[in-house]
Amino acid sequence: MTTNDRIYRSPMALVGGVLLLALAAWLGIDAMVQGEGNTPWQALGGLLTFVPVVVAFTLRPAVFADDNRLRVRNPLRVVTLPWGEIVSLRAGYTNEAVDKEGRKVQLWAIPVSLRGRKRAARRQQRRDAQESAAAQGKRVRGSLFGPGGDVDDGPLRDQSDKIMDELRAMHEAREKANTSQGEVTVRWAYEIIAPTVVGVVLLVVFGALG
């Protein structure tokens, strides 16, 4: 990460992850301290399995964008895409980057909100109605205007779509730069995978022992 990085994360995922980790720590540590027989080992295995998975899907995902590249930190891997290697940034049911070889990289940290899109579309319809009424010299009453007939100047696009617009603008501005060329690199998150595997092994072994 550099000082020029723009960092995008999901606030709701962060909150949910912290709550789940707090619950896991409370239950798991209690079982390890108070449990008898194989229970402490099973609790340890459960923590080693559960905690990395929660971290991977809630706290870990992030998107870093600077002048040269887009770095996507997803649950199990980190993909670095120079702007020059990106063909498009798509926003459908998921947000994703597509490179020159046709590989798609989902942006876990920028989740799509269909409800947010519908809400933004309704606001756009209200804005269009307001502008049409203003053009006709009419006063529209009700929810289309605030007190005194002021136009609602709220956002007309969902936040995730705004972020994708920002990334597209950076891509368009930097894709031809010499410093934005290079190879796409992938690094697997062994710090997440390894403890999860150990946890599963502990659960299987001590579960079998009863």
Side-chain angles (χ1 to χ4, degrees), residues 15-151:
V15 172
V18 170
L19 292 176
L20 286 173
L21 290 177
L23 179 62
W26 175 42
L27 296 176
I29 293 175
D30 180 70
M32 291 174 63
V33 173
Q34 303 294 334
E36 299 178 353
N38 291 331
T39 299
W41 289 103
Q42 291 176 326
L44 177 61
L47 285 175
L48 287 174
T49 303
F50 183 73
V51 170
V53 171
V54 171
V55 170
F57 286 91
T58 60
L59 305 185
R60 178 179 168 81
V63 172
F64 306 88
D66 62 22
D67 289 341
N68 302 322
R69 63 187 63 84
L70 183 71
R71 187 160 63 94
V72 182
R73 192 171 71 192
N74 280 344
L76 297 180
R77 62 179 186 167
V78 178
V79 183
T80 301
L81 302 109
W83 290 119
E85 288 296 311
I86 296 176
V87 174
S88 66
L89 291 157
R90 300 176 181 173
Y93 290 106
T94 61
N95 292 316
E96 59 189 22
V98 182
D99 70 10
K100 289 181 177 179
E101 295 186 9
R103 293 174 296 193
K104 300 176 182 178
V105 180
Q106 186 175 344
L107 309 183
W108 280 78
I110 311 175
V112 170
S113 172
L114 297 180
R115 179 179 298 180
R117 284 180 175 173
K118 291 178 180 179
R119 184 164 55 246
R122 288 195 296 269
R123 301 193 76 164
Q124 180 65 61
Q125 291 174 352
R126 290 198 295 268
R127 174 65 58 82
D128 292 342
Q130 293 167 10
E131 292 176 351
S132 176
Q136 298 175 18
K138 296 180 180 179
R139 176 186 176 86
V140 179
R141 300 180 181 277
S143 60
L144 299 184
F145 291 87
D150 294 333
V151 175

Side-chain angles (χ1 to χ4, degrees), residues 100-202:
K100 289 181 177 179
E101 295 186 9
R103 293 174 296 193
K104 300 176 182 178
V105 180
Q106 186 175 344
L107 309 183
W108 280 78
I110 311 175
V112 170
S113 172
L114 297 180
R115 179 179 298 180
R117 284 180 175 173
K118 291 178 180 179
R119 184 164 55 246
R122 288 195 296 269
R123 301 193 76 164
Q124 180 65 61
Q125 291 174 352
R126 290 198 295 268
R127 174 65 58 82
D128 292 342
Q130 293 167 10
E131 292 176 351
S132 176
Q136 298 175 18
K138 296 180 180 179
R139 176 186 176 86
V140 179
R141 300 180 181 277
S143 60
L144 299 184
F145 291 87
D150 294 333
V151 175
D152 180 3
D153 59 355
L156 302 181
R157 287 175 62 77
D158 180 58
Q159 183 62 27
S160 68
D161 291 332
K162 289 183 178 181
I163 292 174
M164 293 302 290
D165 288 343
E166 291 180 13
L167 294 178
R168 290 190 191 99
M170 294 182 69
H171 174 236
E172 183 177 355
R174 298 295 302 170
E175 64 176 326
K176 301 298 184 182
N178 291 333
T179 55
S180 298
Q181 311 307 311
E183 296 182 356
V184 176
T185 61
V186 179
R187 182 181 70 82
W188 289 94
Y190 294 108
E191 66 275 17
I192 296 292
I193 298 171
T196 304
V197 171
V198 172
V200 171
V201 171
L202 287 175

